Amino acid sequence: MTHPDAHRTIETVWRLESARIIAALTRLVRDVGLAEDLAHDALIAALSEWPETGVPANPGGWLMLTAKHRAIDRLRRDDRFKDKIKDIGHEYADQQRVAVFTTDAEFEAVLEDDPLSDDLLRLIFIACHPVLPTPARVALTLRLLGGLTTEEIARAFLVPEPTVAQRIVRAKKTLAEKKIPFEVPPPAERADRLASVLEVVYLVFNEGYSATSGDDWMRPELCREALRLGRMLAELAPDEPEVHGLAALMELQASRLRARVDADGHPIPLPEQNRGRWDQLLIRRGFAALLRARQLGRPAGPYVLQAAIAACHAQPGPTDWVAIATLYESLAFIAPSPIVQLNRAVAIGQSSGPEAALRLVDELADRPELRGYHLLPTVRGDLLARLGRDAEARAEFAKAAEMTANARERDVLLRRAG
């Protein structure tokens, strides 16, 4: 195998296996930063050896075993780490871990005494811990669970690489200083913590689905990464309907990615998209995930309701806007926000006409949360145009163009304003 081939293989294997390796090591060393360092040591070893010796038959297992050996060496020689264990209150259990095992086989047993899926779930909860600011949660999640490099995260979110690096360093430092345990939260805290996890994953997806800034309307690689995380969550937490709801929502929305832009990369509104370009496999996966959420028999939460709305759009034939408006009404009841109300107004505009919708939109005009939100004047412009008030509509599109930071979206709005 040539060097470039080996490097490409390592990159692929790392993207697939890094989260599992970091999760397993974090359970042992109880420090996510140290676990990541140890995992990277194994990655460096692969980059050094595989181009010369060839890719092993089980590359993921090779990385895991190498990382474990790095951990053994580290734990045996690092007195400071033993002191740290005492500080964070795991004295008895972890002294046993450090002192008792004298062979690699014993160490393997320590690492294998919990299912790996539990480790991954713990890693997701710690990376998305509410003690971290949202940008830090996003960066840390993509780094630890997606295996993305700092450069890749910076490029995806159009922020300087040093900024992302600082966010990750501070996040790991905060987790260590706050002594955040590496555990799935107890049942009393799980709903809030799970909400934080889902929020982070959906933020990643949305940034890929409709980029807030830059020259590209979409960043599909972020959608794919969020979708991967969502599917992983659905496997790790199969009894949580909101997890399946989020997975369903992302599958259904992702099914439209190919149809959302024209040949020049400009956005195509949903009613004007070529449905023949929608991905039917993702639609089927979305429906299956939504069915799974409903089969769990609990009241629908925000993600299940949004997935139900996306499912309405994915149905063949004319769109049932009355059903969509009703679903938005339910969503506004359990998760009230002016953006949900704005989306409800769009649905009412389709089901009951633009005049009824315009009244609702005008009621939202003074909401401080929508100040600077370019979709408010965009929606208002659409409704005014349908009512034949063309001059007012053009003024709204011009206002929206000034607000958006996305170049492709700005082009479309300026054409409509012109």
Side-chain angles (χ1 to χ4, degrees):
M1 178 174 287
T2 64
H3 290 208
D5 288 340
H7 287 163
R8 276 195 293 273
T9 301
I10 292 168
E11 184 180 344
T12 301
V13 172
W14 177 252
R15 189 63 61 85
L16 292 171
E17 301 291 341
S18 60
R20 296 171 66 247
I21 296 168
I22 294 170
L25 294 174
T26 302
R27 177 160 55 82
L28 178 75
V29 302
R30 299 183 187 277
D31 182 322
V32 70
L34 176 57
E36 191 189 12
D37 289 345
L38 293 166
H40 275 119
D41 285 348
L43 174 63
I44 291 168
L47 288 167
S48 172
E49 293 183 28
W50 293 7
E52 299 295 331
T53 62
V55 176
N58 180 358
W62 189 99
L63 283 170
M64 178 71 87
L65 189 60
T66 302
K68 288 174 179 176
H69 288 160
R70 297 292 192 277
I72 291 171
D73 294 342
R74 179 63 178 261
L75 291 175
R76 283 175 175 159
R77 73 172 187 265
D78 195 343
D79 291 336
R80 289 174 302 171
F81 180 69
K82 294 174 186 174
D83 292 339
K84 186 176 179 181
I85 287 172
K86 293 177 184 176
D87 290 342
I88 61 179
H90 300 293
E91 181 174 0
Y92 176 76
D94 290 288
Q95 280 183 341
Q96 292 296 309
R97 287 174 190 272
V98 173
V100 169
F101 56 79
T102 55
T103 67
D104 289 359
E106 290 170 342
F107 184 83
E108 297 282 336
V110 171
L111 276 178
E112 299 302 333
D113 62 2
D114 283 339
L116 195 53
S117 59
D118 289 351
D119 285 343
L120 275 174
L121 195 56
R122 292 185 187 108
L123 189 62
I124 292 174
F125 274 109
I126 202 169
C128 299
H129 197 285
V131 74
L132 303 175
T134 298
R137 277 184 261 165
V138 170
L140 194 61
T141 300
L142 290 174
R143 173 67 166 268
L144 297 182
L145 292 151
L148 272 64
T149 65
T150 304
E151 181 186 0
E152 288 172 324
I153 299 169
R155 190 167 60 240
F157 284 91
L158 303 181
V159 294
E161 192 175 339
T163 300
V164 173
Q166 287 172 3
R167 286 175 184 168
I168 292 172
V169 169
R170 287 175 187 159
K172 290 188 286 193
K173 186 178 178 186
T174 299
L175 292 173
E177 288 176 347
K178 299 286 185 184
K179 300 177 181 176
I180 302 300
F182 183 62
E183 64 184 19
V184 175
E189 301 174 17
R190 198 166 301 172
D192 287 344
R193 293 283 302 281
L194 186 61
S196 172
V197 172
L198 300 183
E199 178 193 9
V200 168
V201 175
Y202 198 39
L203 273 173
V204 173
F205 183 88
N206 271 335
E207 187 58 29
Y209 196 67
S210 300
T212 52
S213 59
D215 294 332
D216 296 323
W217 169 236
M218 296 189 304
R219 300 194 186 102
E221 70 278 10
L222 280 179
C223 291
R224 286 192 288 272
E225 186 57 35
L227 203 48
R228 191 180 71 81
L229 292 172
R231 289 168 181 164
M232 181 196 299
L233 270 173
E235 289 181 10
L236 296 173
D239 298 326
E240 297 290 347
E242 279 293 271
V243 171
H244 294 289
L246 176 60
L249 175 59
M250 293 192 296
E251 301 275 10
L252 291 166
Q253 289 185 322
S255 73
R256 301 197 291 265
L257 285 176
R258 285 182 303 191
R260 295 190 75 235
V261 292
D262 63 18
D264 297 322
H266 291 117
I268 300 176
L270 180 60
E272 299 171 21
Q273 290 172 15
N274 178 359
R275 290 186 172 214
R277 302 198 68 201
W278 290 3
D279 189 318
Q280 295 302 312
L281 174 60
L282 292 182
I283 289 174
R284 288 196 294 275
R285 291 183 66 109
F287 280 129
L290 183 57
L291 179 62
R292 174 65 181 151
R294 286 172 169 163
Q295 285 173 335
L296 290 169
R298 280 181 262 169
Y303 292 109
V304 171
L305 286 173
Q306 290 178 81
I309 292 167
C312 287
H313 287 297
Q315 296 282 0
T319 303
D320 187 347
W321 287 104
V322 173
I324 291 174
T326 303
L327 287 165
Y328 270 121
E329 193 170 345
S330 300
L331 183 60
F333 182 75
I334 63 169
S337 87
I339 292 177
V340 172
Q341 293 291 3
L342 183 62
N343 288 330
R344 175 172 168 261
V346 172
I348 288 175
Q350 294 293 334
S351 61
S352 303
E355 200 158 350
L358 187 59
R359 284 196 295 274
L360 296 174
V361 172
D362 286 345
E363 290 172 7
L364 295 169
D366 294 330
R367 295 291 294 268
E369 304 95 322
L370 296 181
R371 233 172 259 153
Y373 187 57
H374 70 284
L375 289 182
L376 178 67
T378 301
V379 170
R380 196 166 189 277
D382 283 333
L383 296 171
L384 288 167
R386 290 171 58 194
L387 289 167
R389 295 161 62 176
D390 294 340
E392 293 172 83
R394 286 196 294 272
E396 291 296 319
F397 292 134
K399 187 192 298 183
E402 289 179 6
M403 290 179 176
T404 183
N406 185 277
R408 300 290 182 180
E409 194 172 30
R410 187 184 306 114
D411 290 346
V412 172
L413 290 166
L414 286 175
R415 278 207 300 270
R416 301 187 73 183

